[in-house]
Amino acid sequence: MTRRLLLSYVSLTLLVLLCLEVPFGYVYARGEMSRFTGNGQQAAVMLTEMLEEKVERPGVTDVPEQVASFARRTGGHVVVVDRKGKLLSDSRNVVPTGTDLSARPDIATALANRSSSGTRQDPVLGEDVFFATVPGASGSTIRCVVRVSFPLTAVTVKVHDAWLALAVGGLGVLAAVALIALALARWITCPVRALEHATTQLADGTLKDLPATDLGPPELRRLASCFVRTATRLQHLLKAQHAFASEASHQLKTPLTALRLRLENFEPYLDPRAQPSLDEAVGEVERLSRMVHGLLALARLENAATTPEATDLDAVIADRAAVWAAFAGEHYVDIVVAGPRVGRVWAIPDALEQIIDNLLSNALRVSPPETTITLATARAGGLPAAVELHVIDQGPGMTEDQRRRAFDRFWRANDADHEGTGLGLPISRQLARASGGEVTLRAASGGGLDAVVRLRTIGAHRSAHPRRPRSAIWGRQDGVPPVPAERTLAVSDWQQ
């Protein structure tokens, strides 16, 4: 904005200077030329009147001296011819005396008792000159003709000096205007720059420097004041929401746990026919608990301003596959890790663990017994600085419309497992985007669903040997994986 203001001020000043200086320069040049030609014609007439009487007097021999003296004073070239057009005197002695010059256009015009003047290239002086050819006559009787040529160098140099002075003056004015305009533009845009800096900080969630409200034009001061009030109010709301996200989990855990215990305490006193209803009520309480944790997780993600860090994706994949192995074995599902080693990627702390946990939990919910869940790594096609993690199951899969809506909060398919909350995939996408990546769903080539996590790599890829596919579990194992409680409760299934 500063450059645009500066350019506008300088352009407007340049336009004004051109409109003033160019016409003035032309007028000055024409005036100087007119003055020069007028003086030249007057000098030629005076010399002609002086020589007219001397040419008619017999025995007068000082005409060459008079001509030479005039030429020395004025720096011009003088030619004098008699009434027949024969040369009487040449100040430069280039043409011999007695040469007939009556055929020259200007001489012939003067012999017809008419003066002529103009500019031409003088071969004697070797430059452009102004000439004035004047007849020396008494009435209609021509006694002599005088042609005086004056070099245009003096007036040309004077005009050029004038144009140079105008150019230097214009440049000086432009420089002064540029300095003043720069100071003015910086003064005008100072509040805008402060607002831009504060807006960037506010977008990152860490507004530390509030813009000054006493700088710049009144309109920008009012804008800065409005921004400060809005940012202060927004920060207050964000802090309140963050406090809610931090405290609500502790406040909600106790009543939900107490409700579940009270329902379970009813079991010895219930009629066996009411047992299914009790189980459904307990299941709904558990689902509500997972939903609360999922909402709180999303709130923390939206409020946090975490910077991505270097994370070893291969190590995270191996760790999560080993953690989920026992739980997968209870469902008679095999977990396979395949693909090349991809090294470190950018991710916010603990994001990869949560993403993989959510996707594996979803995959296990829909995977039939004796099937395989594959964790495969690959280079992103056309993107040398990105890699992909594929979580592929052999379940029923999803339609294109279901895949498009799967990332909506609380959305579940009609035939979905009712234990899901519809928050696992939204949480995974939010974590991936906060890390600079993305999560998408595709149809697996052999049936089922392919969840693709795309992440940015760190530096250039080193050549590595691809990993041989290996199974993390080959049979049923007792026990459950030591997954953190909040992460397990925040997941949802793919059919939600």
Side-chain angles (χ1 to χ4, degrees):
M1 186 175 180
T2 302
R3 291 194 296 269
R4 293 189 182 93
L5 288 175
L6 180 61
L7 182 61
S8 63
Y9 293 148
V10 173
S11 300
L12 181 60
T13 304
L14 179 61
L15 179 62
V16 172
L17 288 175
L18 290 176
C19 292
L20 292 177
E21 290 190 350
V22 172
F24 177 78
Y26 278 112
V27 170
Y28 177 80
R30 291 182 62 182
E32 287 297 318
M33 183 61 69
S34 177
R35 188 180 303 110
F36 180 79
T37 56
N39 292 337
Q41 286 181 334
Q42 184 178 4
V45 170
M46 293 177 60
L47 179 62
T48 301
E49 291 178 351
M50 182 179 65
L51 295 178
E52 179 184 351
E53 297 180 357
K54 294 185 178 184
V55 169
E56 289 297 321
R57 294 178 185 176
V60 176
T61 59
D62 62 344
V63 172
E65 295 179 2
Q66 294 290 335
V67 169
S69 175
F70 180 86
R72 285 195 301 270
R73 291 196 310 270
T74 60
H77 178 209
V78 182
V79 173
V80 182
V81 300
D82 59 14
R83 68 182 65 183
K84 296 182 179 179
K86 294 183 179 181
L87 180 64
L88 296 178
S89 177
D90 183 357
S91 62
R92 295 299 179 97
N93 297 320
V94 176
V95 182
T97 303
T99 303
D100 188 2
L101 302 178
S102 59
R104 304 288 175 86
D106 59 321
I107 300 294
T109 301
L111 292 175
N113 202 13
R114 294 193 306 273
S115 300
S116 61
S117 60
T119 57
R120 63 182 180 88
Q121 177 72 26
D122 192 330
V124 177
L125 298 180
E127 57 181 317
D128 291 335
V129 298
F130 168 76
F131 71 93
T133 306
V134 181
S138 297
S140 59
T141 303
I142 304 298
R143 292 189 175 89
C144 66
V145 173
V146 177
R147 182 175 66 193
V148 182
S149 301
F150 298 100
L152 295 175
T153 304
V155 67
T156 302
V157 170
K158 194 171 184 180
V159 171
H160 287 173
D161 291 342
W163 280 111
L164 181 61
L166 289 175
V168 172
L171 291 176
V173 172
L174 281 178
V177 169
L179 292 177
I180 297 173
L182 179 60
L184 182 61
R186 291 182 64 85
W187 174 73
I188 292 175
T189 58
C190 181
V192 178
R193 293 194 299 272
L195 284 172
E196 180 185 10
H197 180 66
T199 303
T200 303
Q201 289 186 343
L202 184 62
D204 294 335
T206 57
L207 179 57
K208 299 178 181 179
D209 305 320
L210 290 174
T213 58
D214 56 349
L215 298 177
E219 296 81 359
L220 292 181
R221 294 181 186 180
R222 291 193 293 270
L223 177 61
S225 300
C226 293
F227 175 83
V228 169
R229 291 196 300 270
T230 303
T232 303
R233 176 62 176 166
L234 184 58
Q235 279 190 305
H236 175 73
L237 294 175
L238 289 176
K239 289 180 180 178
Q241 185 179 1
H242 183 68
F244 169 79
S246 301
E247 298 174 1
S249 59
H250 302 287
Q251 299 297 328
L252 292 173
K253 282 180 182 179
T254 301
L256 288 175
T257 303
L259 178 59
R260 178 178 177 177
L261 291 176
R262 289 179 182 274
L263 290 174
E264 290 177 347
N265 289 336
F266 287 150
E267 186 174 3
Y269 307 101
L270 289 177
D271 186 281
R273 291 175 297 179
Q275 186 65 39
S277 298
L278 177 62
D279 293 339
E280 291 180 2
V282 173
E284 288 298 322
V285 171
E286 293 179 352
R287 180 170 173 270
L288 178 60
S289 179
R290 291 195 300 272
M291 188 177 298
V292 168
H293 281 289
L295 288 174
L296 294 177
L298 282 175
R300 286 193 293 269
L301 283 174
E302 292 171 351
N303 293 334
T306 308
T307 303
E309 299 176 355
T311 306
D312 190 340
L313 179 58
D314 300 309
V316 173
I317 293 174
D319 175 69
R320 302 325 297 169
V323 167
W324 281 88
F327 190 49
E330 290 186 352
H331 294 76
Y332 299 95
V333 175
D334 193 16
I335 296 180
V336 172
V337 178
R341 297 187 180 275
V342 294
R344 296 187 300 168
V345 297
W346 290 110
I348 62 176
D350 298 327
L352 294 181
E353 290 86 346
Q354 286 188 263
I355 293 173
I356 296 175
D357 284 347
N358 288 345
L359 298 180
L360 284 176
S361 176
N362 292 342
L364 284 173
R365 291 180 189 274
V366 298
S367 294
E370 307 301 332
T371 59
T372 301
I373 298 176
T374 303
L375 295 175
T377 55
R379 307 296 183 191
L383 296 174
V387 295
E388 292 179 347
L389 168 62
H390 297 258
V391 181
I392 308 170
D393 65 64
Q394 296 177 341
M398 300 174 68
T399 65
E400 182 178 354
D401 181 66
Q402 289 175 335
R403 293 197 301 270
R404 184 168 53 253
R405 299 186 56 191
F407 292 99
D408 296 341
R409 296 184 184 183
F410 306 112
W411 182 87
R412 296 187 303 167
N414 295 330
D415 56 347
D417 182 356
H418 291 286
E419 294 182 0
T421 62
L423 293 174
L425 287 177
I427 290 175
S428 298
R429 170 168 282 186
Q430 190 74 17
L431 288 169
R433 288 180 174 176
S435 304
E438 185 58 271
V439 177
T440 56
L441 299 180
R442 305 174 184 171
S445 58
L449 196 65
D450 180 7
V452 182
V453 183
R454 177 170 293 184
L455 299 166
R456 295 179 296 125
T457 59
I458 299 176
H461 295 305
R462 295 179 298 176
S463 59
H465 299 289
R467 291 181 294 198
R468 294 174 57 188
R470 63 182 180 85
S471 175
I473 175 75
W474 294 100
R476 178 184 176 88
Q477 299 182 20
D478 296 328
V480 294
V483 182
E486 289 188 5
R487 183 176 299 151
T488 304
L489 292 174
V491 298
S492 64
D493 63 80
W494 289 350
Q495 301 297 328
Q496 296 166 4

